Amino acid sequence: MILVIAEQQSGTLNRSSWETIAAAQQAGGPVKVAVLGAATGAAAGELAAAAVTEVLRVEAPALSPYTLDGFVSALGQVVAAEQPESVWLPHTYQTRDFAPALAVHLGRALVTDCIGTKSDGARRLFVRPVFQGRLLADVAVDGPALATFQIGAIRADSLVRGAAPAPVRTVAVSVDAGAIRQAPEAPFREAKQAVDLTQAERIVAVGRGIKEAEKVVLAQQLAAAIGADIGASRPICDAGWLPMDRQIGSSGQTVAPKLYLALGISGAIQHLVGMKGARTIVAINKDPEAPIFEVADYGVVGDLFEIVPAVIKELKG
Amino acid sequence: MHATETWIFRILVLGFAAAFAAQVWTRARLILRAPNNVRVGDDETGRRLLRFVSEVIFQSRTIAERPLVGIAHLGVYWGFTAFALYTGVEFLAGLGIADFTGARWFRLYALALVPFSVAVSAGIIGLLVRRAIVRPAALGEHVSGESVLIGFFILTLMVTFLIAFRWEAGLAARINWWIHALVILGFLVLIPDSKHFHLVLSPLTVYLRSPVLGTVPNLDFEREQVGLETVADVERKQVLDAFTCVECGRCQVNCPAHATGKPLNPKTLILQNEAALLAGRFETTLAEVFDAKVLWQCTTCGACEAQCPVGVEHLPLIIGARRGLASNGEAPGALAAVYNHLERRGNIWGLGADLRQKFVQSAGVEIFDPSRHEYLVWLGCAGSFEADFQKSLRSLFDILRAGGVTFGVLAKERCTGDLAKRTGNEYQFQELARANIEDFTAAGVAKIVTSCPHCLRTIGTDYREFGFTAEIVHSASLVAELTRSMAVPGREDVTFHDPCYLGRYAGITGEPRDLLARFGAAVREPDRHGANPFCCGAGGGLLFEEHEEGRRISQERLDQLQRTGAATVVTACPFCSIMLKGAQASANTQVEFVDLMSFVDGRMKAAAPAAVPRP
């Protein structure tokens, strides 16, 4: 049985929990999901939608707010009681904090930042990038292991949902608040940018080639048609055609969407470095020499005022 | 002189001298307690002495930036020097120690001083009018009462000196003598606590100034140096600088950050340093003394330091304070990302080495082999990854090939560490520098050519501290030399933007103009050019600045370049080009940018049959 530790804060699940559950489902065999906190009802109810054997509510007053000692103590008890063959966690900041301590506490190996698993017939192999992502290593572990999964490595939409909600069970753990050495302060929240393009899956970005403020609406129509967020290169934001928080590049946001549609963007290096992480880059530009074509997966040399309306029409038709 | 008068004078001199000494002692103590960074035992003595003659005795820098004011100051300075002996003799007589005032030589000497007194008077009246009536912005918002008072003191000294020729004896003569003597004493006690302390310190600071602009010596990690964190860390030369600053504001008027409405003002930095030292705020961090934000607004263009007539070095203070911040993890977030790129990928943009490889292959350049290649062409981060600059490198390759110069590139490169050095990430700089020097040595490199002025500076100057000796030239110099017998006709109007690291730091101003002139361009100079250009805004890590306060420096420079009326801007630095093109995209103007190498290459190719050697 694989035990997935889901992460929640104030009742809101961390999205990456779904990815780790999906990874566990794909590995085969029964999957249980545990969620920790002082009040886990809402999160557990949500998790029950996944096709898993059981959702465990690991509750104790001392588990909120999060502390390393509290989580290690509680999870130590859960693992001892449930005896999972493997414990999987999303590779979040919180996991990075307590997982090593938990591994030591349990005397189990910990494989971090995995992007998937496979089998060599006899054993489960954990796949993780090494040498700054240049190589992938298959890691075999003797005995029960802990493993953390890189965020975004497994598609959350591959999650198998259950026909009926999975049973939810409350697991009583005793966590001695006095034994917790950490004294957390109220979480610090950096002034959040009004627009967060870093999480966007699709982005339509406009550059100087859009020519005038009134034409930006064309890009907005295209964005609406494909369910994308709108971004821009510096000149557009400088001119005030789009707000500053839409700027992509080294002096704006660094984005990594699945699809990046660059309209009339020449591809100055200060812009390129902000979007080079996009999985698929489509560029429309009338200058065949534009540097954007160096990084584009699909390039269209032509007039965006002809191409974009045609694309919108096609999408709507 | 009456005996009573002598005694009164002796007591006064003693009192005023004590007051002067007490004030000097306060400063001397601060100078002596500071960590010693004064390097006089270097092999630069000859150059230092030459500079002393040019800048102290002939006031070349004072005059260069402001000719009229400078000449007025020269008059006052020479006058003061000429008067030193006169004042000495008069004081000896007044104190009743020895009286040479009746001596024939003294009479002749006094007569010879008359033209000097006229020069001083004319100079000081000019300076007083400027300070009190014209009031240039460089001198600050408020008229300094003390400076005006001292101006009148000097004028009084000259007038009383001249009157002494008319009234040689009697009550009037005595009163005149006393006024002269009292003014000198009054002046004496005003010196240490005012900008006039430069009379004492500036000959020293000019002599001690580093022979190379923007020298910020490496930190010694063995000695656990981490840069300047608190006022106590401010080094000896910087303390001397703080006390010698004459508050003329040349640094301020030449600073691109100040000119575009940012809070950074190099003059203010020096004065804040002085105030913190005098207040004994040794434990205060420099981020509090200067405001950390301001420290990160400097492009390290060097205009402040290059203009300072009293040898103040701003860059060691600014970069030193940045080091203190960077050592404590307090560099701005945007730079943290760049440091990460440098650490992981060895270039400022964090791009993959495969892109550089692709460029090298497509340009058909060989890997450097000392047995077959004379020059190593150093690409730099921009040459490895920036499309426009790569075009200019292709031009350079073609020019070199046409000129029969053999060259190759390194199989792999990493950033020279320019950005790390200028932003105070000294550890990273030294790591990059050592690794690059190892690569150069392993490859057997003796001669390097680069088109990037920042790489030129870092490899050519900063690497010397590690004992690196290979020769490095900017492509402008090499190509100017290579094509010196060539010329193509034409007089196309262009303007040339001197990169700070080429024109000001390396002093390479003639070669680009020579090339442009020979290859069919008529250069229209912008307001600031040559050895004192106006920055593009990219240096000192500001290429990655997230939000620029005030007006963009690049925008200001683009305006200056456009005012020349030339439709083409020739650049010679990838970062200037990135900044100015960015400004142009925002301003939506139609100026054509072309790198110097592409300009030359284009003209060479267009005129290939006609490119005849000059007679």
Side-chain angles (χ1 to χ4, degrees):
Chain A
M1 180 262 289
I2 297 169
L3 178 65
V4 174
I5 313 297
E7 184 174 317
Q8 62 91 24
Q9 188 150 29
S10 318
T12 309
L13 273 176
N14 188 318
R15 253 175 31 148
S16 57
S17 303
W18 296 114
E19 300 173 3
T20 310
I21 296 169
Q25 286 175 335
Q26 285 156 26
V31 177
K32 289 187 185 180
V33 183
V35 57
L36 282 73
T40 56
E46 211 180 320
L47 287 165
V52 293
T53 314
E54 194 171 35
V55 176
L56 307 178
R57 292 174 59 182
V58 183
E59 284 202 358
L63 289 176
S64 181
Y66 161 81
T67 56
L68 182 147
D69 284 344
F71 268 48
V72 169
S73 161
L75 283 170
Q77 296 167 50
V78 173
V79 172
E82 303 293 327
Q83 288 297 323
E85 163 256 321
S86 202
V87 178
W88 292 10
L89 310 99
H91 195 75
T92 60
Y93 287 114
Q94 189 170 300
T95 296
R96 272 175 248 189
D97 188 46
F98 75 80
L102 179 63
V104 171
H105 178 77
L106 295 170
R108 287 187 174 201
L110 170 65
V111 189
T112 57
D113 211 25
C114 302
I115 59 164
T117 60
K118 58 186 183 186
S119 171
D120 67 354
R123 293 169 304 172
R124 171 178 288 131
L125 301 173
F126 294 98
V127 183
R128 64 188 300 268
V130 290
F131 297 117
Q132 290 169 22
R134 286 191 181 85
L135 292 175
L136 294 177
D138 296 339
V139 181
V141 179
D142 296 327
L146 275 72
T148 71
F149 286 80
Q150 194 178 88
I151 297 171
I154 295 115
R155 296 170 65 107
D157 55 14
S158 65
L159 180 91
V160 182
R161 292 177 170 272
V168 177
R169 175 162 59 96
T170 304
V171 181
V173 288
S174 69
V175 179
D176 177 9
I180 294 174
R181 292 163 297 173
Q182 298 85 18
E185 295 187 1
F188 168 77
R189 237 175 234 289
E190 211 160 337
K192 202 173 177 301
Q193 261 184 311
V195 179
D196 186 9
L197 295 174
T198 60
Q199 300 297 320
E201 299 217 331
R202 295 181 190 134
I203 293 175
V204 171
V206 274
R208 190 34 96 179
I210 201 82
K211 295 215 171 75
E212 46 197 287
E214 293 69 40
K215 298 283 170 58
V216 174
V217 77
L218 193 62
Q220 280 160 334
Q221 285 165 358
L222 178 60
I226 61 169
D229 281 300
I230 190 137
S233 64
R234 197 185 92 177
I236 302 301
C237 299
D238 272 0
W241 298 355
L242 278 171
M244 279 296 178
D245 51 17
R246 295 281 170 184
Q247 189 175 322
I248 293 165
S250 73
S251 52
Q253 301 193 49
T254 301
V255 300
K258 287 184 181 145
L259 175 68
Y260 191 89
L261 241 159
L263 307 180
I265 289 180
S266 67
I269 193 149
Q270 298 295 89
H271 181 76
L272 290 188
V273 296
M275 45 69 80
K276 65 177 194 294
R279 201 171 295 171
T280 304
I281 298 169
V282 180
I284 302 173
N285 201 302
K286 66 177 187 330
D287 175 12
E289 299 282 304
I292 190 81
F293 291 122
E294 292 283 322
V295 296
D297 298 285
Y298 300 95
V300 184
V301 178
D303 183 355
L304 72 94
F305 299 109
E306 286 172 23
I307 297 162
V308 175
V311 172
I312 295 171
K313 204 175 149 202
E314 191 71 24
L315 285 165
K316 285 188 173 163
Chain B
M1 202 176 197
H2 200 275
T4 326
E5 235 181 305
T6 306
W7 275 109
I8 293 171
F9 189 60
R10 281 174 182 166
I11 292 163
L12 281 174
V13 167
L14 210 63
F16 277 90
F20 173 78
Q23 294 186 80
V24 172
W25 177 235
T26 305
R27 286 156 181 80
R29 246 187 19 229
L30 290 166
I31 292 164
L32 292 173
R33 81 177 289 286
N36 186 16
N37 67 329
V38 169
R39 303 199 284 190
V40 277
D42 55 19
D43 47 9
E44 298 287 346
T45 310
R47 277 166 79 184
R48 288 178 191 276
L49 285 172
L50 273 178
R51 186 169 67 207
F52 188 86
V53 171
S54 148
E55 292 181 19
V56 177
I57 298 180
F58 291 101
Q59 310 261 295
S60 57
R61 274 206 193 192
T62 318
I63 296 169
E65 161 84 5
R66 301 174 184 165
L68 276 177
V69 176
I71 287 167
H73 185 273
L74 182 74
V76 176
Y77 163 68
W78 278 0
F80 263 61
T81 314
F83 268 95
L85 183 63
Y86 177 85
T87 307
V89 168
E90 284 290 355
F91 268 59
L92 283 180
L95 291 167
I97 296 170
D99 191 352
F100 301 112
T101 54
R104 189 176 159 74
W105 66 265
F106 185 72
R107 294 273 171 155
L108 287 171
Y109 167 53
L111 264 176
L113 284 179
V114 171
F116 283 101
S117 73
V118 174
V120 171
S121 305
I124 207 72
I125 289 169
L127 294 176
L128 270 171
V129 167
R130 173 172 179 270
R131 179 169 294 271
I133 299 166
V134 182
R135 298 178 61 179
L139 298 180
E141 283 171 30
H142 306 287
V143 179
S144 156
E146 192 177 67
S147 295
V148 174
L149 177 68
I150 286 179
F152 278 108
F153 272 12
I154 295 170
L155 200 57
T156 309
L157 289 179
M158 296 305 112
V159 170
T160 49
F161 165 77
L162 291 172
I163 286 174
F165 284 98
R166 179 123 178 83
W167 298 329
E168 297 208 10
L171 183 62
R174 291 316 305 153
I175 292 173
N176 191 47
W177 187 91
W178 270 98
I179 292 172
H180 191 94
L182 286 174
V183 164
I184 286 176
L185 290 176
F187 190 17
L188 190 69
V189 295
L190 285 179
I191 285 176
D193 199 31
S194 71
K195 69 190 187 70
H196 296 90
F197 204 38
H198 79 279
L199 266 67
V200 178
L201 288 184
S202 72
L204 197 61
T205 47
V206 169
Y207 182 81
L208 293 176
R209 194 182 81 220
S210 169
V212 178
L213 176 68
T215 300
V216 186
N218 288 350
L219 289 181
D220 184 349
F221 297 114
E222 295 295 310
R223 287 168 53 207
E224 295 185 5
Q225 292 181 334
V226 293
L228 313 177
E229 294 176 285
T230 63
V231 175
D233 299 330
V234 172
E235 296 175 294
R236 188 164 294 163
K237 172 62 168 51
Q238 294 149 2
V239 178
L240 280 165
D241 286 351
F243 295 137
T244 201
C245 174
V246 68
E247 301 171 36
C248 67
R250 281 174 176 78
C251 52
Q252 172 185 326
V253 300
N254 282 289
C255 175
H258 182 76
T260 49
K262 301 181 208 330
L264 169 61
N265 180 340
K267 172 173 149 180
T268 307
L269 286 188
I270 302 301
L271 298 180
Q272 284 170 331
N273 189 25
E274 182 193 23
L277 285 161
L278 284 174
R281 297 165 61 200
F282 301 119
E283 302 307 317
T284 311
T285 64
L286 294 184
E288 286 172 76
V289 173
F290 300 132
D291 179 353
K293 180 179 78 178
V294 158
L295 291 172
W296 298 107
Q297 289 176 338
C298 171
T299 67
T300 70
C301 77
C304 47
E305 202 171 302
Q307 294 294 323
C308 182
V310 293
V312 171
E313 291 166 280
H314 304 73
L315 288 166
L317 188 65
I318 294 173
I319 294 176
R322 285 179 171 187
R323 285 170 166 178
L325 289 170
S327 303
N328 288 298
E330 285 162 29
L335 286 180
V338 182
Y339 296 153
N340 210 344
H341 293 154
L342 287 169
E343 177 89 34
R344 292 186 170 210
R345 303 282 182 129
N347 66 77
I348 51 177
W349 289 298
L351 295 166
D354 51 322
L355 290 170
R356 176 180 183 275
Q357 192 60 26
K358 217 168 92 181
F359 167 66
V360 169
Q361 269 167 7
S362 72
V365 184
E366 294 179 352
I367 301 303
F368 180 78
D369 172 356
S371 65
R372 293 188 299 121
H373 301 134
E374 182 185 3
Y375 276 94
L376 172 87
V377 180
W378 174 261
L379 306 181
C381 294
S384 303
F385 304 107
E386 207 264 325
D388 281 347
F389 192 60
Q390 289 178 340
K391 284 183 197 157
S392 106
L393 284 180
R394 285 175 197 269
S395 297
L396 172 64
F397 298 152
D398 285 352
I399 297 169
L400 294 179
R401 285 177 186 129
V405 175
T406 53
F407 62 93
V409 297
L410 288 182
K412 276 185 185 168
E413 273 183 15
R414 58 180 81 63
C415 174
T416 59
D418 168 65
L419 180 139
K421 175 92 190 171
R422 296 336 137 196
T423 59
N425 191 341
E426 178 73 8
Y427 192 83
Q428 189 165 44
F429 162 69
Q430 291 193 19
E431 270 193 339
L432 291 166
R434 289 210 168 86
N436 280 325
I437 290 170
E438 209 169 286
D439 286 356
F440 285 136
T441 313
V445 172
K447 288 159 100 177
I448 306 170
V449 56
T450 180
S451 263
C452 173
H454 291 261
C455 297
L456 175 75
R457 156 72 190 203
T458 312
I459 296 174
T461 305
D462 299 318
Y463 281 14
R464 301 293 181 230
E465 250 189 275
F466 300 91
F468 182 65
T469 52
E471 175 192 315
I472 181 165
V473 291
H474 188 263
S475 55
S477 311
L478 181 64
V479 170
E481 173 66 23
L482 204 62
T483 62
R484 67 183 182 281
S485 60
M486 292 167 83
V488 303
R491 284 197 58 78
E492 182 195 336
D493 275 342
V494 305
T495 186
F496 180 66
H497 167 73
D498 290 276
C500 297
Y501 276 69
L502 194 66
R504 186 178 291 115
Y505 275 84
I508 296 173
T509 57
E511 293 90 333
R513 288 173 174 77
D514 167 42
L515 278 171
L516 288 170
R518 281 193 287 111
F519 286 90
V523 180
R524 293 185 169 214
E525 300 287 6
D527 293 345
R528 295 261 302 266
H529 61 269
N532 187 25
F534 192 89
C535 185
C536 69
L542 299 195
L543 178 67
F544 293 96
E545 191 177 25
E546 280 179 322
H547 175 74
E548 190 173 331
E549 206 174 333
R551 197 153 189 261
R552 279 215 177 91
I553 293 175
S554 54
Q555 212 76 55
E556 175 65 30
R557 182 54 170 171
L558 181 65
D559 287 354
Q560 295 174 4
L561 293 167
Q562 282 194 287
R563 281 201 293 271
T564 63
T568 303
V569 175
V570 180
T571 58
C573 168
F575 301 110
C576 296
S577 169
I578 291 171
M579 294 307 279
L580 294 172
K581 281 176 189 164
Q584 136 132 322
S586 289
N588 204 15
T589 51
Q590 298 303 320
V591 185
E592 201 202 331
F593 288 94
V594 57
D595 185 89
L596 182 61
M597 288 304 115
S598 295
F599 184 90
V600 171
D601 183 46
R603 295 301 183 281
M604 271 171 90
K605 283 173 182 160
V612 286
R614 279 174 143 187

